[in-house]
Amino acid sequence: MTAPTEPNDREEIFELYKLAVEMADRVSARRGTANAFFLSVQSALVTLVGFGIPKLSESPWWVSLAVTLAGVTLSATWWMQLRSYRDLNSAKFAVINKLEEYLPAQIFADEWEALKSDPIPSWRKRYAELGTSERIVPLVFALAHLILFVGTLSV
């Protein structure tokens, strides 16, 4: 993209920039909705297995295995979806950052640079991206399902 020289070019770029920011915000909102869905389903499944189905320990081993596989599959799907949202947002912010080169202020690029370079005292070297920390949750649920499965076998 060449530097805009006409006022109309700058206005068009600003309109594209606003659209790109809105689209990135929508992806983040969809990610939040997906997280709420998976968290609800996983919580219900773990609660039912852990506390709500007393006869599960009396069922054949393969019933516990099926429930565990369902939970682990949900966890893997959730993790992959979070990774996909991260990749999508990365692409969107690459476009936003490119468009910012032609605007008077580079809000997202400057914010990201500040987050990357500002160390957080005492417990980590820099900002932890939300996507990194939220991808731990599906792994925790997968582990919970496996522990519950082992627990039902030992009863």
Side-chain angles (χ1 to χ4, degrees):
M1 182 183 287
T2 60
T5 55
E6 299 293 319
N8 283 344
D9 290 344
R10 288 191 188 274
E11 287 175 25
E12 287 177 18
I13 287 174
F14 186 61
E15 289 302 316
L16 288 172
Y17 175 79
K18 289 191 313 186
L19 178 64
V21 168
E22 175 64 27
M23 289 169 50
D25 187 52
R26 287 182 185 175
V27 167
S28 295
R30 283 196 315 260
R31 183 178 76 202
T33 301
N35 282 342
F37 166 77
F38 280 108
L39 184 61
S40 297
V41 171
Q42 287 282 37
S43 296
L45 193 56
V46 166
T47 301
L48 286 173
V49 171
F51 302 108
I53 308 176
K55 302 229 182 225
L56 188 61
S57 60
E58 298 170 13
S59 300
W61 65 270
W62 55 266
V63 173
S64 294
L65 179 62
V67 172
T68 299
L69 289 176
V72 170
T73 301
L74 276 170
S75 295
T77 303
W78 188 4
W79 189 90
M80 289 187 302
Q81 188 174 49
L82 287 170
R83 184 64 191 238
S84 179
Y85 278 125
R86 178 184 180 197
D87 294 343
L88 183 57
N89 265 343
S90 293
K92 289 193 178 305
F93 279 104
V95 171
I96 288 168
N97 290 341
K98 185 69 175 168
L99 289 170
E100 282 185 346
E101 293 175 11
Y102 303 103
L103 298 174
Q106 297 181 340
I107 297 167
F108 285 103
D110 290 347
E111 177 183 55
W112 185 244
E113 193 58 39
L115 286 171
K116 287 192 329 185
S117 64
D118 186 26
I120 297 171
S122 78
W123 63 287
R124 65 176 189 250
K125 294 183 181 178
R126 72 173 194 91
Y127 169 74
E129 297 176 47
L130 175 61
T132 302
S133 56
E134 76 183 345
R135 281 193 312 273
I136 293 171
V137 178
L139 298 176
V140 169
F141 272 105
L143 183 62
H145 287 293
L146 294 172
I147 289 170
L148 287 170
F149 176 66
V150 170
T152 59
L153 292 180
S154 64
V155 171

